[in-house]
Amino acid sequence: GLERAVREVQGSPRVSTATADRPRASPPSTPRRKTARSSLPTPRAKPFELRDEDGRAALSPRLNKWLTQQATGKSQDETAGGAAARKADIEAQRLREQQRQEAREREMNRCLVPLLRLIEETDSTALKSDATSALLSLALNTANASAFVKTGAIRTLLNLCSETDSAIRANVLAILSALAASPLTRRDLVEEGCVRAILPHTRLKNPDAAKFATGAILALCELEQNRVDMLADSTLVPALLGLLAPPTSRRATPRALSLRADFDPRLQRDAIFTLSLLVSGSTQRKLLLLEHGETVPVLLRVAADERKPSDIRLHALHSLETLLDVDGAAYPKQALDTFGSVLTHRTLATVLVRVTLPCLPSALPHWCC
């Protein structure tokens, strides 16, 4: 019986106190069998549906589509017909822009035509002043410049330059100055005779109104195609030279001269900048300027006048240098007489000494000796 009990004890499983509290190990997991779900395509990226505070879409459909394509890594070029679709989008965008431009022109015509008709038919100064003020507001937007050409507003504005009312003249000069700043209308203004119409207004008593006239002439001269036509007007160069060196009266005091509009440095800058553009370029324009006998003497007087700003004097000297650079051309007799005079040589030497010496280094006396 004892031996049977020993054998039963030896044959029973042993329980260890160290492993009694250990959780039972889970059976090894078997690899899952692949299903057809793994072969399904990945879902498309969610669109970028950004919305503002009112709940409206913050992105346009086109931008939403582009961001979705960038997120998924697929561009429109990779899909079939991407180039054709892109070309169609560009063409549609161009057509929409053309339609918007035509709509803007129609709206401008509805505004301009009644105003122009009112100006031509009324004799009331107050109505003309109000109408020109409205035209000025429209002209300040450069996108409306072409509408002034198509509706014939330029001719009406040039006719208004002879108005006696100062407020109407100021509005008209401001409108022409704004139109001259646009490259779309510069050529049309010159062809319509804008230069001859506004030249008398460069000598107005009000320098602010005269500044519109000189600024418009300078802007028109910036177009190379206009310069020969502008020089064909025989009154342009004398008017510019008159602004640079206006005639002085012996009885005029320095204070009275400073109050005159033609002594305004702004007008003189526009005049000398316009002359600088006219003298640069072809020999034909240089000869046309040399035919005016006062061109070279006035430029010399301006360069030698210490009362004028330094930039005006330097531009006058540079214009004189460019004007004399005529290769193989027959100088007019007036210009040759001016160059041969002793006064011209003396003035030129004075100008060169006064302009060159301030430009030399301060150490000149030490190393020059």
Side-chain angles (χ1 to χ4, degrees):
L2 180 60
E3 292 178 357
R4 189 183 310 113
V6 171
R7 285 195 299 270
E8 291 177 357
V9 171
Q10 291 178 352
S12 61
R14 298 179 181 181
V15 179
S16 175
T17 58
T19 60
D21 299 331
R22 183 180 301 174
R24 188 175 181 180
S26 60
S29 60
T30 58
R32 294 183 178 179
R33 186 173 55 184
K34 293 184 178 180
T35 61
R37 180 178 300 178
S38 60
S39 61
L40 295 177
T42 57
R44 298 179 60 183
K46 186 178 181 180
F48 293 80
E49 295 179 351
L50 301 180
R51 299 187 178 276
D52 54 12
E53 297 178 355
D54 299 333
R56 294 175 298 184
L59 300 179
S60 63
R62 185 186 300 274
L63 182 58
N64 195 346
K65 181 179 179 182
W66 182 83
L67 290 174
T68 304
Q69 291 173 353
Q70 296 298 320
T72 56
K74 295 181 181 180
S75 63
Q76 190 178 4
D77 297 334
E78 298 176 358
T79 61
R86 186 171 62 255
K87 183 178 180 180
D89 291 343
I90 295 175
E91 183 65 22
Q93 184 177 2
R94 186 190 65 81
L95 181 60
R96 287 193 298 269
E97 181 62 29
Q98 181 180 357
Q99 292 174 350
R100 285 194 293 266
Q101 179 65 24
E102 293 176 354
R104 285 195 297 265
E105 292 180 357
R106 288 193 298 269
E107 292 296 330
M108 277 298 299
N109 292 340
R110 294 192 186 99
C111 295
L112 284 178
V113 173
L115 289 174
L116 296 175
R117 187 180 298 113
L118 175 64
I119 292 174
E120 293 174 354
E121 295 177 355
T122 185
D123 294 331
S124 173
T125 303
L127 289 178
K128 287 185 179 180
S129 179
D130 294 339
T132 52
S133 298
L135 290 177
L136 177 58
S137 300
L138 297 175
L140 293 177
N141 187 357
T142 56
N144 300 332
S146 59
F148 280 81
V149 178
K150 295 179 180 179
T151 55
I154 294 179
R155 173 53 53 188
T156 303
L157 293 172
L158 296 181
N159 293 335
L160 288 175
C161 290
S162 58
E163 284 286 334
T164 57
D165 186 73
S166 59
I168 297 177
R169 287 200 312 266
N171 289 336
V172 171
L173 292 175
I175 293 170
L176 294 175
S177 178
L179 294 178
S182 175
L184 301 176
T185 55
R186 288 175 180 172
R187 185 59 184 163
D188 297 280
L189 287 171
V190 173
E191 291 178 348
E192 292 288 343
C194 178
V195 177
R196 179 177 291 274
I198 64 178
L199 265 179
H201 302 287
T202 58
R203 305 298 293 270
L204 291 176
K205 295 182 180 179
N206 183 6
D208 294 331
K211 179 65 175 65
F212 288 126
T214 57
I217 293 175
L218 176 59
L220 294 176
C221 192
E222 291 179 357
L223 184 62
E224 176 75 20
Q225 192 177 359
N226 288 340
R227 295 174 187 174
V228 176
D229 296 338
M230 294 175 67
L231 275 178
D233 189 353
S234 59
T235 60
L236 174 61
V237 176
L240 297 176
L241 296 177
L243 288 174
L244 289 173
T248 58
S249 175
R250 295 181 179 180
R251 297 181 180 180
T253 61
R255 176 176 175 79
L257 292 177
S258 62
L259 295 177
R260 287 175 53 177
D262 48 12
F263 278 87
D264 194 320
R266 299 176 299 170
L267 307 183
Q268 295 185 358
R269 284 189 176 91
D270 289 343
I272 192 60
F273 292 163
T274 304
L275 281 175
S276 300
L277 293 175
L278 291 175
V279 301
S280 62
S282 64
T283 304
Q284 178 186 2
R285 293 202 302 267
K286 296 179 182 179
L287 293 177
L288 289 175
L289 284 168
L290 288 174
E291 289 179 356
H292 297 274
E294 293 297 323
T295 302
V296 175
V298 168
L299 291 177
L300 284 173
R301 289 202 303 269
V302 171
D305 192 355
E306 296 181 351
R307 296 172 300 178
K308 294 188 180 298
S310 58
D311 58 338
I312 296 179
R313 298 175 60 193
L314 290 176
H315 272 84
L317 188 61
H318 179 68
S319 300
L320 183 63
E321 176 189 7
T322 308
L323 187 62
L324 300 182
D325 185 16
V326 181
D327 298 332
Y331 282 93
K333 184 178 182 304
Q334 294 179 349
L336 291 175
D337 295 341
T338 303
F339 298 153
S341 64
V342 178
L343 179 62
T344 301
H345 294 166
R346 188 180 306 159
T347 306
L348 183 60
T350 304
V351 171
L352 292 177
V353 169
R354 291 179 179 177
V355 173
T356 306
L357 286 181
C359 300
L360 295 177
S362 58
L364 174 63
H366 301 284
W367 58 265
C368 149
C369 300

Coordinates of all heavy atoms in Angstrom, one line a residue, residues 236-279:
L236 N 6.4 124.4 -78.5 CA 6.8 123.6 -77.3 C 8.1 124.0 -76.7 O 8.2 124.3 -75.5 CB 6.8 122.1 -77.7 CG 7.3 121.1 -76.6 CD1 6.4 121.2 -75.4 CD2 7.4 119.7 -77.2
V237 N 9.2 124.0 -77.5 CA 10.5 124.3 -77.0 C 10.6 125.7 -76.4 O 11.1 125.9 -75.3 CB 11.5 124.1 -78.1 CG1 12.9 124.5 -77.6 CG2 11.6 122.7 -78.6
P238 N 10.0 126.8 -77.1 CA 10.0 128.1 -76.4 C 9.3 128.1 -75.1 O 9.7 128.8 -74.1 CB 9.3 129.0 -77.4 CG 9.6 128.4 -78.8 CD 9.5 126.9 -78.5
A239 N 8.2 127.3 -75.0 CA 7.5 127.3 -73.7 C 8.4 126.6 -72.6 O 8.4 127.1 -71.4 CB 6.2 126.6 -73.8
L240 N 9.1 125.6 -72.9 CA 9.9 124.9 -72.0 C 11.1 125.8 -71.6 O 11.5 125.9 -70.4 CB 10.4 123.6 -72.5 CG 9.3 122.5 -72.8 CD1 10.0 121.3 -73.5 CD2 8.6 122.1 -71.6
L241 N 11.7 126.5 -72.6 CA 12.8 127.3 -72.3 C 12.3 128.5 -71.4 O 13.1 129.0 -70.6 CB 13.4 127.8 -73.6 CG 14.1 126.7 -74.4 CD1 14.6 127.3 -75.7 CD2 15.2 126.0 -73.7
G242 N 11.1 129.0 -71.7 CA 10.6 130.1 -70.9 C 10.4 129.7 -69.4 O 10.5 130.5 -68.5
L243 N 10.1 128.4 -69.2 CA 9.9 128.0 -67.8 C 11.3 127.9 -67.1 O 11.4 128.1 -65.9 CB 9.2 126.6 -67.7 CG 7.7 126.6 -68.0 CD1 7.2 125.2 -68.1 CD2 7.0 127.4 -67.0
L244 N 12.3 127.5 -67.9 CA 13.7 127.4 -67.3 C 14.3 128.7 -67.0 O 15.0 128.9 -66.0 CB 14.5 126.5 -68.2 CG 14.2 125.1 -68.3 CD1 15.0 124.4 -69.4 CD2 14.4 124.4 -67.0
A245 N 14.1 129.7 -67.9 CA 14.7 131.0 -67.8 C 13.7 132.0 -68.1 O 13.7 132.7 -69.2 CB 16.0 131.1 -68.7
P246 N 12.7 132.2 -67.2 CA 11.7 133.2 -67.5 C 12.3 134.6 -67.5 O 13.2 134.9 -66.8 CB 10.7 133.0 -66.3 CG 11.5 132.4 -65.2 CD 12.6 131.6 -65.9
P247 N 11.7 135.5 -68.3 CA 12.2 136.9 -68.3 C 11.9 137.6 -67.0 O 10.9 137.4 -66.4 CB 11.4 137.5 -69.5 CG 10.2 136.7 -69.6 CD 10.6 135.3 -69.2
T248 N 12.9 138.3 -66.5 CA 12.8 139.0 -65.3 C 12.7 140.5 -65.5 O 13.3 141.1 -66.5 CB 14.0 138.7 -64.3 OG1 15.2 139.1 -65.0 CG2 14.1 137.3 -64.0
S249 N 12.0 141.2 -64.6 CA 11.9 142.6 -64.7 C 12.8 143.3 -63.7 O 13.1 142.7 -62.6 CB 10.4 143.0 -64.4 OG 10.3 144.4 -64.3
R250 N 13.4 144.4 -64.1 CA 14.3 145.1 -63.2 C 13.7 145.6 -61.9 O 14.3 145.7 -60.9 CB 14.9 146.3 -64.0 CG 15.8 145.9 -65.2 CD 16.3 147.1 -65.9 NE 17.2 146.7 -67.0 CZ 17.8 147.6 -67.8 NH1 17.7 148.9 -67.6 NH2 18.5 147.2 -68.8
R251 N 12.4 145.9 -62.0 CA 11.7 146.4 -60.8 C 11.2 145.3 -59.9 O 10.7 145.5 -58.8 CB 10.5 147.2 -61.3 CG 10.9 148.5 -62.0 CD 9.7 149.3 -62.4 NE 10.0 150.5 -63.2 CZ 9.2 151.4 -63.6 NH1 7.8 151.2 -63.4 NH2 9.6 152.4 -64.3
A252 N 11.3 144.0 -60.4 CA 10.7 142.9 -59.6 C 11.7 142.6 -58.4 O 12.9 142.5 -58.6 CB 10.6 141.7 -60.5
T253 N 11.1 142.5 -57.3 CA 11.9 142.1 -56.1 C 12.1 140.6 -56.0 O 11.3 139.9 -56.6 CB 11.2 142.6 -54.8 OG1 9.9 142.0 -54.7 CG2 11.0 144.1 -54.9
P254 N 13.1 140.2 -55.2 CA 13.3 138.7 -55.1 C 12.1 138.0 -54.5 O 11.8 136.9 -54.9 CB 14.5 138.6 -54.1 CG 15.2 139.9 -54.3 CD 14.2 140.9 -54.6
R255 N 11.3 138.7 -53.6 CA 10.1 138.0 -53.0 C 9.1 137.9 -54.1 O 8.4 136.8 -54.2 CB 9.6 138.8 -51.8 CG 8.3 138.3 -51.3 CD 7.9 139.1 -50.0 NE 6.6 138.6 -49.6 CZ 6.4 137.5 -48.8 NH1 7.4 136.7 -48.6 NH2 5.2 137.2 -48.4
A256 N 8.9 138.9 -54.9 CA 7.9 138.8 -56.0 C 8.2 137.7 -57.0 O 7.4 137.0 -57.5 CB 7.7 140.2 -56.7
L257 N 9.5 137.6 -57.3 CA 9.9 136.5 -58.2 C 9.7 135.2 -57.7 O 9.3 134.2 -58.4 CB 11.4 136.7 -58.6 CG 11.8 138.0 -59.4 CD1 13.3 138.0 -59.6 CD2 11.1 138.0 -60.7
S258 N 9.9 135.0 -56.4 CA 9.7 133.7 -55.8 C 8.2 133.3 -55.7 O 7.9 132.1 -55.7 CB 10.2 133.6 -54.3 OG 9.5 134.6 -53.5
L259 N 7.3 134.3 -55.8 CA 5.9 133.9 -55.8 C 5.3 133.7 -57.2 O 4.2 133.2 -57.3 CB 5.1 135.1 -55.2 CG 5.4 135.4 -53.7 CD1 4.6 136.6 -53.2 CD2 5.0 134.2 -52.8
R260 N 6.1 133.9 -58.2 CA 5.6 133.7 -59.6 C 5.6 132.2 -59.8 O 6.5 131.4 -59.4 CB 6.5 134.4 -60.6 CG 6.3 135.9 -60.6 CD 7.2 136.6 -61.5 NE 7.2 136.0 -62.9 CZ 7.9 136.4 -63.9 NH1 8.7 137.5 -63.7 NH2 7.8 135.8 -65.1
A261 N 4.6 131.7 -60.6 CA 4.5 130.3 -60.9 C 5.6 129.8 -61.7 O 6.0 128.6 -61.6 CB 3.1 130.0 -61.5
D262 N 6.1 130.6 -62.7 CA 7.1 130.1 -63.6 C 8.5 130.0 -62.9 O 9.4 129.5 -63.5 CB 7.2 131.0 -64.8 CG 7.3 132.5 -64.4 OD1 7.5 132.8 -63.2 OD2 7.2 133.3 -65.3
F263 N 8.6 130.4 -61.6 CA 9.8 130.2 -60.9 C 9.7 129.0 -59.9 O 10.6 128.8 -59.1 CB 10.2 131.5 -60.1 CG 10.9 132.5 -60.9 CD1 10.2 133.5 -61.6 CD2 12.3 132.6 -60.9 CE1 10.8 134.4 -62.3 CE2 12.9 133.5 -61.6 CZ 12.2 134.5 -62.3
D264 N 8.6 128.3 -60.0 CA 8.4 127.1 -59.2 C 9.3 126.0 -59.6 O 9.4 125.6 -60.8 CB 6.9 126.6 -59.3 CG 6.6 125.6 -58.2 OD1 7.4 124.8 -57.9 OD2 5.4 125.7 -57.7
P265 N 10.2 125.5 -58.7 CA 11.1 124.4 -59.0 C 10.4 123.2 -59.6 O 11.0 122.5 -60.4 CB 11.8 124.1 -57.7 CG 11.6 125.3 -56.9 CD 10.3 125.9 -57.2
R266 N 9.2 122.9 -59.2 CA 8.5 121.7 -59.8 C 8.3 121.9 -61.3 O 8.5 120.9 -62.0 CB 7.2 121.5 -59.0 CG 7.3 121.3 -57.5 CD 5.9 121.2 -56.9 NE 5.2 122.4 -57.1 CZ 3.9 122.5 -56.8 NH1 3.2 121.5 -56.4 NH2 3.2 123.7 -57.0
L267 N 7.9 123.1 -61.7 CA 7.6 123.3 -63.1 C 9.0 123.3 -63.9 O 9.0 122.8 -65.0 CB 6.9 124.7 -63.3 CG 5.6 124.9 -62.5 CD1 5.0 126.2 -62.9 CD2 4.7 123.7 -62.8
Q268 N 10.0 123.8 -63.3 CA 11.3 123.8 -63.9 C 11.9 122.4 -64.1 O 12.5 122.1 -65.1 CB 12.3 124.7 -63.2 CG 11.9 126.2 -63.2 CD 12.9 127.1 -62.5 OE1 13.9 126.6 -62.0 NE2 12.6 128.4 -62.6
R269 N 11.6 121.6 -63.1 CA 12.1 120.2 -63.2 C 11.4 119.5 -64.3 O 12.0 118.7 -65.1 CB 11.8 119.5 -61.9 CG 12.9 119.8 -60.8 CD 12.7 118.9 -59.6 NE 13.7 119.2 -58.6 CZ 13.6 120.0 -57.6 NH1 12.4 120.7 -57.4 NH2 14.6 120.2 -56.7
D270 N 10.0 119.6 -64.4 CA 9.3 119.0 -65.5 C 9.8 119.5 -66.8 O 10.0 118.7 -67.8 CB 7.8 119.3 -65.4 CG 7.2 118.6 -64.2 OD1 7.8 117.6 -63.7 OD2 6.1 118.9 -63.8
A271 N 10.2 120.8 -66.9 CA 10.7 121.4 -68.2 C 12.0 120.8 -68.6 O 12.2 120.4 -69.7 CB 10.7 122.9 -68.1
I272 N 12.9 120.7 -67.6 CA 14.3 120.2 -67.9 C 14.3 118.7 -68.2 O 15.0 118.2 -69.0 CB 15.3 120.6 -66.8 CG1 16.7 120.4 -67.3 CG2 15.0 119.8 -65.6 CD1 17.1 121.1 -68.5
F273 N 13.4 118.0 -67.5 CA 13.3 116.5 -67.7 C 12.7 116.3 -69.1 O 13.1 115.3 -69.8 CB 12.4 115.9 -66.7 CG 13.0 115.9 -65.3 CD1 12.3 115.6 -64.2 CD2 14.4 116.1 -65.1 CE1 12.8 115.6 -62.9 CE2 15.0 116.1 -63.9 CZ 14.2 115.9 -62.8
T274 N 11.7 117.1 -69.5 CA 11.2 117.0 -70.9 C 12.2 117.3 -71.9 O 12.3 116.5 -72.9 CB 10.0 117.9 -71.1 OG1 9.0 117.6 -70.0 CG2 9.3 117.7 -72.4
L275 N 13.0 118.3 -71.7 CA 14.1 118.6 -72.7 C 15.1 117.5 -72.7 O 15.7 117.2 -73.8 CB 14.7 119.9 -72.3 CG 14.0 121.2 -72.7 CD1 14.7 122.4 -72.2 CD2 13.9 121.3 -74.3
S276 N 15.4 116.9 -71.6 CA 16.4 115.8 -71.6 C 15.9 114.6 -72.4 O 16.7 113.9 -73.0 CB 16.6 115.4 -70.1 OG 17.1 116.4 -69.3
L277 N 14.6 114.3 -72.3 CA 14.0 113.3 -73.2 C 14.0 113.6 -74.7 O 14.3 112.8 -75.5 CB 12.6 112.9 -72.7 CG 12.5 112.3 -71.3 CD1 11.0 112.1 -71.0 CD2 13.2 111.0 -71.3
L278 N 13.8 114.9 -75.0 CA 13.8 115.3 -76.4 C 15.1 115.3 -77.0 O 15.3 115.0 -78.2 CB 13.1 116.7 -76.5 CG 11.7 116.8 -76.1 CD1 11.2 118.3 -76.2 CD2 10.8 116.0 -77.1
V279 N 16.2 115.6 -76.3 CA 17.5 115.7 -76.9 C 18.2 114.3 -77.0 O 19.1 114.1 -77.8 CB 18.4 116.6 -76.0 CG1 17.9 118.0 -76.0 CG2 18.7 116.1 -74.6

